[in-house]
């Protein structure tokens, strides 16, 4: 069974008691909170985690942890917009507000068209390139960019820093989770870029 099918199966197993959208939202935020605590522990984040977790049973929390494990496995297999694709597959996007996730193969094509690996090679020691993604979604464009650099033997994880932003907190959480798991240095901001 593919990782996406596994992910959907775990969510389906919880969907009788909760809405799919709520499960995905809580999974995304709990995962982002857990990962961020490893880098910068804050009591406020811990309290937010506990406030979300308290509505779930122990087995349901294990299922949410399984969703993160599936995500880790999918991203270890290959760089991709795994959570964005799951989000779309579960039909959770808000088409009424114009929310659309760019298909990953188009993100890869755009990275090939605009990213110049030689520009990263030309950076002096201690210099880095800043990338801004003002409507990051789950991070597909960023992931494709770093994958493009990797394919050209550029260690962008040490030479490029990303500032990603999205008005939708669930998207920002998905982006943070994926970028963290892929070791992409970034600051992910929840807010309106405009």
């Amino acid at each position: 069974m593919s990782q996406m099918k596994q992910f959907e199966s775990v969510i389906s197993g919880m969907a009788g008691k909760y809405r799919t959208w709520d499960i995905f939202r809580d999974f995304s935020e709990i995962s982002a909170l857990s990962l961020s605590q490893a880098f910068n522990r804050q009591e406020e984040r811990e309290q937010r985690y506990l406030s979300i977790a308290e509505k779930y049973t122990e087995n349901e929390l294990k299922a949410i942890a399984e969703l993160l494990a599936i995500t880790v496995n999918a991203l270890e297999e290959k760089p991709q917009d795994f959570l964005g694709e799951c989000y779309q597959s579960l039909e959770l996007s808000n088409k009424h507000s114009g929310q659309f996730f760019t298909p990953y193969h188009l993100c890869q094509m755009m990275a090939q068209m605009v990213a110049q690996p030689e520009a990263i090679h030309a950076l002096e020691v201690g210099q880095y390139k800043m990338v801004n993604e003002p409507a990051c979604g789950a991070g597909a464009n960023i992931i494709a960019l770093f994958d493009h650099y990797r394919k050209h033997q550029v260690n962008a994880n040490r030479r490029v820093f990303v500032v990603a932003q999205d008005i939708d907190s669930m998207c920002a959480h998905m982006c943070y989770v994926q970028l963290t798991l892929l070791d992409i240095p970034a600051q992910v901001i929840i807010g309106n870029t405009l």
Side-chain angles (χ1 to χ4, degrees), residues 36-121:
S36 67
Q37 287 291 72
F39 300 105
N40 183 13
R41 189 160 185 76
Q42 294 181 9
E43 185 59 30
E44 181 182 327
R45 286 187 193 137
E46 188 68 22
Q47 292 308 313
R48 178 65 185 149
Y49 175 94
L50 293 172
S51 74
I52 297 167
E54 72 183 7
K55 64 182 161 185
Y56 293 102
T57 67
E58 185 177 335
N59 283 339
E60 290 166 344
L61 287 171
K62 286 180 182 176
I64 289 173
E66 184 179 352
L67 292 172
L68 183 57
I70 294 166
T71 303
V72 168
N73 290 337
L75 295 174
E76 281 182 350
E77 184 178 297
K78 65 180 178 183
Q80 59 182 308
D81 180 19
F82 180 72
L83 293 178
E85 290 178 21
C86 290
Y87 187 80
Q88 291 286 103
S89 177
L90 291 165
E91 299 179 355
L92 298 175
S93 62
N94 187 346
K95 293 172 180 64
H96 301 294
S97 67
Q99 190 176 51
F100 175 76
F101 283 54
T102 307
Y104 191 67
H105 67 279
L106 292 180
C107 296
Q108 290 174 306
M109 181 188 72
M110 289 187 292
Q112 290 171 9
M113 291 170 59
V114 300
Q116 301 169 342
E118 57 277 357
I120 304 301
H121 284 302

Side-chain angles (χ1 to χ4, degrees), residues 1 21 23 39 63 107 121 125 138 154 159:
M1 179 183 325
W21 191 90
I23 298 164
F39 300 105
C107 296
H121 284 302
V125 174
V154 173
R159 306 303 302 269

Side-chain angles (χ1 to χ4, degrees), residues 121-132:
H121 284 302
L123 291 173
E124 307 235 351
V125 174
Q127 288 184 318
Y128 61 94
K129 185 172 192 70
M130 291 277 302
V131 173
N132 187 346

